[in-house]
Structure formats: C-alpha cells, structure tokens
Amino acid sequence: MKLKNTLGLAIGTLIAATSFGALAQGQGAVEGEAFYKKQYNDSINDVEDGRRPGVSIGYFLTDDVSVNATYEKDDYTRSNNNTGSQKIRGDHFGLKSQYHFGTVGDAIRPYVEGGVSHGSMTNVAADGHTGRDQSTFLTTGAGAKWYITDNLYARAGVEADYKLDNGRWDYAALVGLGVNFGGTGGKVAPAPVAPVAAAPEPEPEAPVAEVVRVQLDVKFDFNKAVVKPNSYGDVKNLADFMKQYPNTTTVVEGHTDNVGPDAYNQKLSQRRADAVKQVLVKDGVSANRVHSVGYGKSRPIADNSTDAGRAANRRVEAQVEATAK
C-alpha cells in the first residue's frame, strides 16, 4: 500500500508541476518521470516474473541527448522452486543516456537508450533459505514519448538488461508519465532584420518625391511551408518591383495559426518565410537583399477560434518602398 501511495503521489506531483510557466523542453531542461515496468526475469534461477515501479531524473545536454539517473523497486517477484510463495524485494540504481529523434516541439519523439545499473535483491536463495543477489547490468532500450502538452508527456518502451555476472538477460515493458522544465524550448533567436535606410529629406522648396510601395500576402495550407502555384504571380510582382528599384531590400515575415506547440510553430513560420525568399531569389532578386524571419503564432491578424481566422493567420507578408524618379 505504501508503494502505491508513493507512486500516486509522484504522478500527481508531475501533473501539478505543469502549472509552472518556466517549464520547457530542449537543451538545459530537467526531466522528471514516474514509471511502471513489467519485468520478465531470466537472470536469476527460481524467480518468477515481477513488477518494478520507479522514478528517474534527467538533464538534456543538447536538444536530443539526455543523461538520466533512475531508481527502481523490485516488488512481488516470487521464488517458485519448492520454496513457497516468498516475496522478493530489491532495489535498482541506474545511469543511462537517451537519444531522441525528431525536433523539440514534435508531439511524438522516439528514442533509444543505453546505460548501466546495479541491483540488489533479497530472498532469492532456493530450499527455503534467504539470501541477497547483488549484480551489475548493462541496459539498452527503445520507445517513444508523447508530449500531451509542451511540458507533460507519456512514455512507452521496452528494455533489456544484460547481467554481467552470468551473461543472461532480463526484459521489461514499461509505461511512464513525466514533465520537463528549464530548457530553451528549442527556440532560436529571430534572424537580424536589416535596417532600411531612411529617404533623405528634400531640400527646401524642392518638389516632394513620390513614394511607391508594393505589398505581398501569401497564404499557406495547414502545417505546410510550400508556396502554392496561385501565389507565384504575386511573388513575381514583388520581384519585378525590386529589380526595377535595385537599391531596395525587404523583410519576409512568416506567421502561423495557434494550432500546435510554440517551438514547432516558430520553426514552421521560419520555413514559410524561407520558402517565399527562395521564390524571390529564383525570380532574380539577390539573396542579400531579402531577409526572412519567422514569428510563429505571436502576431495573429484574425480570430484563431474559427477556420477562416486560422487560414488568414497562416501567411507570409512583405512590403517594399521606393522613391520614384
């Protein structure tokens, strides 16, 4: 009963922790998790399969690589060789590293892992005698994490433990629930925007020059960063204007709706801005005259609660001004 209460308290703490605004994934994040394993024993004679709940704490060295310290409690594993229904108890302490595939902000991130652990189990001797088995294991495994929110995730995976003492294997299937906090969130600083030189003031009594302007508004499909063919003409108009006025520059600004994690939308908006820049360059504008920057979902122009509003927010905007002679 104490074990169940402890595990329940740990899970409740993980869920409550998601209310803190400082939580974030990515490099520098600390990750805490409570998990439950179904253990299939083969490394110790006369011991049946059991269960192994535990907790772990990890630190992300990069956006993809974490180092994790683990503690696991052997529970309800039984001797089965004429020794009755002895209950086996034990502790496992481990250190492992996980490599996560995909990018920060993805809803599902598969992983592989490897490491070492040390276990100590009581009451494992046969013929009614008690004893303690202390062993070192090499551990490997794989699985996936599902990020329910930016910071709360569920995990499912499989692990295999190789016992160095006798060259035999144990196997486990596991599920877990965890949170992470304190990381960068995978966000990168927006690209610097080139300053636009102000037009010189006209001399007194001189006629005011006419300022001409071209604006661009390209829409994108949901979760896409591909310029649609029906927008090529608008992009070409902007390119022709910039070729007509070779001293002009422009900033191409990418935006998204509010569906999905912040970090993912930031990267998606940058890809959209880069896609429009590539079309401008293909149409003959020098790359150093076009700067692209993504703003994610931070600058909506319409209500994200409607389909039409979200469609309006999935956009890339740009404008160019020039002084006509």
Side-chain angles (χ1 to χ4, degrees), residues 93-112:
F93 297 89
L95 184 66
K96 64 182 67 174
S97 179
Q98 291 180 337
Y99 179 83
H100 301 76
F101 298 93
T103 59
V104 174
D106 288 350
I108 296 178
R109 296 199 71 186
Y111 69 88
V112 293

Side-chain angles (χ1 to χ4, degrees), residues 95-166:
L95 184 66
K96 64 182 67 174
S97 179
Q98 291 180 337
Y99 179 83
H100 301 76
F101 298 93
T103 59
V104 174
D106 288 350
I108 296 178
R109 296 199 71 186
Y111 69 88
V112 293
E113 64 182 10
V116 62
S117 67
H118 181 78
S120 176
M121 297 177 64
T122 63
N123 296 342
V124 298
D127 302 324
H129 298 289
T130 61
R132 180 175 289 274
D133 179 84
Q134 299 196 44
S135 305
T136 301
F137 298 82
L138 298 181
T139 301
T140 186
K145 296 177 180 178
W146 170 39
Y147 286 89
I148 304 167
T149 69
D150 283 344
N151 314 109
L152 174 67
Y153 70 88
R155 177 168 72 110
V158 293
E159 292 184 357
D161 297 330
Y162 178 75
K163 188 174 183 179
L164 295 178
D165 298 346
N166 58 15

